[in-house]
Amino acid sequence: MAKATVRVLVNGYGVIGKRVADAVARQPDMKVVGISDVVGDYRIKIAAAKGYEIYASVPEKAEEMRRAGLEVAGTLQEVLSKGAVDVVVDATPEKVGAENKKLYEGQGVKAVFQGGEKHEVAGVSFVAQRNYAEALGKQFVRVVSCNTTAICRVVGGVHAKLGIRRARVSIFRRAVDVWESSHTGIMNTVVPELKVPSHHGPDAQTVVHDLDIVTMAAKGSHNLFHLHMGMLELNGRATRDEVLEVLREEPRVVMVAGGDGVKGLNSIFEIARDLGRSRGDLYEIPVWEDALTVSKDGREVYLMWATPNESDVVPENVDAIRAMTEIEERADRSIALTDDRLGMVKRLY
Amino acid sequence: MAKATVRVLVNGYGVIGKRVADAVARQPDMKVVGISDVVGDYRIKIAAAKGYEIYASVPEKAEEMRRAGLEVAGTLQEVLSKGAVDVVVDATPEKVGAENKKLYEGQGVKAVFQGGEKHEVAGVSFVAQRNYAEALGKQFVRVVSCNTTAICRVVGGVHAKLGIRRARVSIFRRAVDVWESSHTGIMNTVVPELKVPSHHGPDAQTVVHDLDIVTMAAKGSHNLFHLHMGMLELNGRATRDEVLEVLREEPRVVMVAGGDGVKGLNSIFEIARDLGRSRGDLYEIPVWEDALTVSKDGREVYLMWATPNESDVVPENVDAIRAMTEIEERADRSIALTDDRLGMVKRLY
């Protein structure tokens, strides 16, 4: 069956947007119409050099971007009103997406929002392996944040197969993203998030609706990846082997081991670079196999995983596009295609 | 009633030893006979300049220390065999204390070991406000580590008053101590402890014997203080006010608030410096009041605290000396005296 090629525009070429653009460009059933942004710095110049058409997200920025030396094909509104776009991936800063929704509604275009927006902006929050069907045919879908994506994959996977009574998760966040480490961030400290529970738990419930989860979070003095610690109480009992089997079967979850030299978040980044991944990105969630522990009574599971904060949501954006446009109705087939095109694996080494 | 002055020697003038020496020197019922170590670097020279008698922990190091310019009064064995010491505070590197035990046994001297030694080395592990009585008259007592001390004060306090069914604690550790940050440590990463549960939980049980506790830990890229996150399931129910009241009453636990600008571990260090504390040390455990949360059903308590890793065990060492020598049989009176002499408070600001 011949399928349409979905025409995608990425609005906001930042940490997530640039990665989603490249990921969409690799899909056989999608193409990147262009990217839109409001600045003309090195990031957008690299996008232009890659061959992406550049649009100005707001008309008043077009001239500034041209003065910076960019060839600007037009404004976001212009390209949308031509009917040239099927889906906008909105990766603008948080709360800007909610503002943009009016434009997308006015133009009758579908849009994928990111985790910085509230669940209500889209009405459907999305992690492909958990609730692909909820997004089928929808105009608006929200891909949840990196932390929530990781929780939904790992904890959600255990919940789906073994049933969790209560999940309690601690999150040690990176201070800031790499690209902005020169002008913000923290140094030699840990900064707790004083709102307890942190927003990640309720956010995970927008995807895994029946999960009892509480999260606490703090920022560390580093800029690559988050570390999560999960303490899960099961409804029943399980062995360590059973939990390991669940995690091995779960898509986009990979096992790593300290015994193989994977000592910290830095090791994860080095692996992604050694694998030749674009930008050193990892789309999978690495779970430490040697730390995976089940209590003697089989009722509690303790585990730790790394959350690649810049990149784990990238395949979710791709799958969200397939679900919304219904070019693929099955989650497993969309996931398999995305993973194949992004070079994703079930064993990193 | 006139009480004897306890003669104390501190063996190992490192992070803990130097702080304990200064703390003992401030007590009205103790005096520092001297300190012993195996090096002659800036640390020991400052000790000498403060007026402490310097001994060589092992005879073969005495000459080297003298060549470094130190006046060495003799060896540890010599001063012990003169009967000039009632209690040795052994703050040598972990496992060295266990070796030294033979010397202390041979000389019939009492000794306080630190948390780097196994519980079995002393037979009694100690946190003053939890189990002072267990140490009364003992020859050997082990003051538990900084993390375990903090857990025993905070979680132990809630347990004593409200009863905990299960405590689950995540620990975000400092990478390394300040003094050794020039030659070891980690940078821009988080390193999980892959042994789960981490040793802190079982260690807390050596003091709070009936506490069901599981801990997980990771090292962050900073060198001052640990951050702990506690998720406590109570036997019954409590209100937030009840928990707050328990923590406010608990000795050596202080409340801090993000609303007062206490944003991270760095704020805690700055407070200790602003208070004029020696070395910027904090002996108390600061708990974030605004993060303290009780679940709607009153059965779970979520809280976060900072653990001053260099200094929170210092008052415990002082109290351990009083308990072992029985110059004070009551925990509350020993704690009050120690706290008074160290300038400890129940409100930092």
Side-chain angles (χ1 to χ4, degrees):
Chain A
M1 180 176 74
K3 285 177 178 169
T5 296
V6 178
R7 299 165 302 168
V8 177
L9 183 138
V10 176
N11 183 19
Y13 193 74
V15 171
I16 302 301
K18 61 188 177 184
R19 290 172 165 85
V20 171
D22 290 354
V24 167
R26 289 183 175 210
Q27 306 304 313
D29 48 358
M30 301 176 193
K31 72 170 197 177
V32 180
V33 173
I35 67 115
S36 62
D37 209 296
V38 294
V39 298
D41 67 7
Y42 73 88
R43 295 170 299 156
I44 313 302
K45 286 177 179 173
I46 291 174
K50 283 187 174 188
Y52 292 127
E53 289 275 10
I54 310 295
Y55 294 89
S57 301
V58 292
E60 56 271 30
K61 290 289 180 181
E63 201 43 49
E64 203 174 296
M65 292 167 72
R66 286 191 180 105
R67 277 200 304 271
L70 283 167
E71 193 176 316
V72 178
T75 69
L76 174 62
Q77 180 144 17
E78 284 165 2
V79 68
L80 296 185
S81 63
K82 277 184 206 157
V85 176
D86 299 310
V87 180
V88 174
V89 174
D90 188 303
T92 57
E94 63 177 34
K95 300 198 175 74
V96 178
E99 287 301 308
N100 292 340
K101 185 181 172 186
K102 294 163 205 154
L103 173 64
Y104 308 143
E105 279 178 325
Q107 298 292 340
V109 69
K110 290 178 187 281
V112 180
F113 297 100
Q114 307 303 313
E117 304 306 325
K118 291 201 170 127
H119 171 72
E120 293 68 30
V121 171
V124 175
S125 292
F126 182 84
V127 172
Q129 67 214 67
R130 293 279 82 84
N131 67 338
Y132 190 91
E134 276 194 73
L136 285 171
K138 293 290 191 301
Q139 185 179 0
F140 299 124
V141 168
R142 167 181 172 259
V143 167
V144 293
S145 73
C146 57
N147 281 305
T148 306
T149 297
I151 289 169
C152 290
R153 287 186 195 160
V154 177
V155 181
V158 174
H159 186 52
K161 299 266 180 65
L162 298 174
I164 290 175
R165 187 167 158 246
R166 285 193 297 205
R168 301 294 178 261
V169 177
S170 301
I171 303 174
F172 296 130
R173 300 176 59 192
R174 59 94 184 90
V176 74
D177 284 330
V178 171
W179 81 276
E180 56 187 351
S181 293
S182 47
H183 55 281
T184 181
I186 59 174
M187 179 71 198
N188 199 28
T189 188
V190 175
V191 177
E193 292 193 12
L194 298 178
K195 186 178 174 300
V196 175
S198 68
H199 70 278
H200 311 93
D203 204 33
Q205 291 169 329
T206 66
V207 176
V208 185
H209 308 299
D210 65 340
L211 180 65
D212 177 344
I213 181 167
V214 172
T215 50
M216 296 177 76
K219 279 184 195 167
S221 299
H222 64 286
N223 70 5
L224 280 167
F225 302 171
H226 310 299
L227 181 82
H228 290 211
M229 296 179 183
M231 300 188 176
L232 316 178
E233 185 186 348
L234 303 177
N235 287 324
R237 296 168 196 264
T239 65
R240 183 176 180 279
D241 282 347
E242 285 170 334
V243 179
L244 199 51
E245 186 62 20
V246 167
L247 294 171
R248 285 194 177 129
E249 284 176 1
E250 195 64 23
R252 298 173 178 171
V253 171
V254 292
M255 304 308 298
V256 295
D260 290 319
V262 186
K263 301 294 187 191
L265 298 181
N266 59 310
S267 321
I268 305 292
F269 182 53
E270 191 73 358
I271 286 171
R273 298 200 299 170
D274 284 350
L275 290 175
R277 292 290 179 88
S278 171
R279 298 185 174 91
D281 286 349
L282 204 71
Y283 309 111
E284 302 87 347
I285 308 297
V287 178
W288 268 278
E289 183 168 336
D290 24 18
L292 176 67
T293 303
V294 173
S295 62
K296 276 184 193 154
D297 65 7
R299 293 190 175 277
E300 289 183 76
V301 177
Y302 312 111
L303 73 175
M304 296 198 260
W305 61 92
T307 296
N309 54 293
E310 297 167 315
S311 47
D312 70 344
V313 301
V314 170
E316 308 299 337
N317 275 273
V318 172
D319 292 325
I321 292 168
R322 282 207 192 89
M324 298 162 77
T325 56
E326 296 179 289
I327 56 171
E328 176 54 69
E329 293 193 350
R330 280 180 49 178
D332 58 344
R333 286 205 294 234
S334 178
I335 290 171
L337 180 55
T338 303
D339 291 6
D340 177 63
R341 293 306 166 114
L342 294 183
M344 292 169 68
V345 292
K346 277 303 291 177
R347 291 177 68 94
L348 293 175
Y349 54 84
Chain B
M1 179 174 77
K3 286 177 175 169
T5 296
V6 179
R7 299 164 303 168
V8 177
L9 183 136
V10 176
N11 183 19
Y13 193 74
V15 171
I16 301 301
K18 61 187 177 183
R19 289 172 166 85
V20 171
D22 290 353
V24 168
R26 288 182 176 210
Q27 306 305 315
D29 48 358
M30 303 177 190
K31 71 171 197 178
V32 179
V33 174
I35 67 116
S36 63
D37 208 296
V38 293
V39 298
D41 66 9
Y42 73 88
R43 297 170 298 155
I44 313 302
K45 286 177 179 173
I46 290 174
K50 282 186 174 188
Y52 293 127
E53 289 275 8
I54 310 295
Y55 294 88
S57 301
V58 293
E60 55 270 31
K61 291 289 180 181
E63 200 44 50
E64 203 174 296
M65 291 167 72
R66 287 192 180 104
R67 276 201 304 272
L70 283 166
E71 194 176 314
V72 178
T75 68
L76 174 62
Q77 179 143 20
E78 284 165 2
V79 68
L80 295 185
S81 63
K82 278 185 206 155
V85 176
D86 299 310
V87 180
V88 175
V89 175
D90 187 303
T92 56
E94 62 177 34
K95 300 198 175 72
V96 177
E99 287 301 308
N100 292 340
K101 185 181 172 185
K102 294 162 206 153
L103 172 64
Y104 308 143
E105 279 178 323
Q107 298 292 341
V109 69
K110 291 178 187 280
V112 179
F113 297 100
Q114 308 303 313
E117 303 306 324
K118 292 203 169 122
H119 171 73
E120 293 69 30
V121 170
V124 175
S125 292
F126 182 83
V127 172
Q129 66 213 69
R130 293 279 83 84
N131 66 339
Y132 189 91
E134 275 193 71
L136 285 172
K138 292 291 191 302
Q139 185 178 1
F140 300 123
V141 167
R142 166 182 172 259
V143 167
V144 293
S145 73
C146 56
N147 282 306
T148 306
T149 297
I151 289 169
C152 290
R153 286 188 195 159
V154 177
V155 181
V158 174
H159 185 52
K161 299 266 180 65
L162 299 174
I164 290 175
R165 185 166 159 245
R166 285 191 299 203
R168 301 294 178 260
V169 177
S170 300
I171 303 173
F172 198 21
R173 299 176 59 192
R174 60 96 184 87
V176 73
D177 284 329
V178 172
W179 82 276
E180 57 187 349
S181 292
S182 48
H183 55 281
T184 180
I186 59 174
M187 179 72 197
N188 199 29
T189 188
V190 175
V191 178
E193 291 194 14
L194 298 177
K195 185 176 175 301
V196 175
S198 69
H199 69 278
H200 311 94
D203 204 32
Q205 292 169 329
T206 65
V207 176
V208 186
H209 308 298
D210 65 341
L211 180 65
D212 177 345
I213 181 168
V214 172
T215 50
M216 297 175 77
K219 278 185 196 166
S221 298
H222 63 286
N223 71 5
L224 279 167
F225 302 171
H226 310 299
L227 182 82
H228 290 211
M229 297 179 184
M231 300 187 176
L232 316 178
E233 185 186 348
L234 302 177
N235 287 325
R237 296 168 196 263
T239 65
R240 182 175 180 280
D241 282 346
E242 286 170 333
V243 179
L244 200 50
E245 186 62 22
V246 167
L247 294 172
R248 284 193 178 130
E249 285 175 1
E250 195 64 21
R252 296 171 180 172
V253 172
V254 291
M255 304 307 297
V256 294
D260 291 318
V262 187
K263 301 294 188 191
L265 297 181
N266 58 310
S267 321
I268 305 292
F269 182 53
E270 191 72 359
I271 287 172
R273 298 200 299 169
D274 284 349
L275 290 175
R277 293 290 180 87
S278 171
R279 298 185 174 90
D281 285 350
L282 204 70
Y283 309 111
E284 302 87 345
I285 307 299
V287 178
W288 268 278
E289 183 169 336
D290 26 16
L292 177 67
T293 302
V294 173
S295 61
K296 276 183 194 156
D297 65 6
R299 293 190 175 279
E300 289 183 76
V301 177
Y302 312 111
L303 73 175
M304 298 199 259
W305 62 91
T307 296
N309 54 292
E310 297 167 316
S311 47
D312 71 343
V313 302
V314 170
E316 308 299 337
N317 275 273
V318 172
D319 292 325
I321 292 167
R322 283 207 191 89
M324 297 163 77
T325 56
E326 295 178 291
I327 55 171
E328 177 53 69
E329 293 194 351
R330 280 180 49 179
D332 58 344
R333 287 205 292 235
S334 178
I335 289 171
L337 181 56
T338 303
D339 291 6
D340 176 63
R341 294 306 166 115
L342 294 182
M344 292 169 68
V345 291
K346 275 304 290 178
R347 291 179 69 94
L348 292 175
Y349 55 83

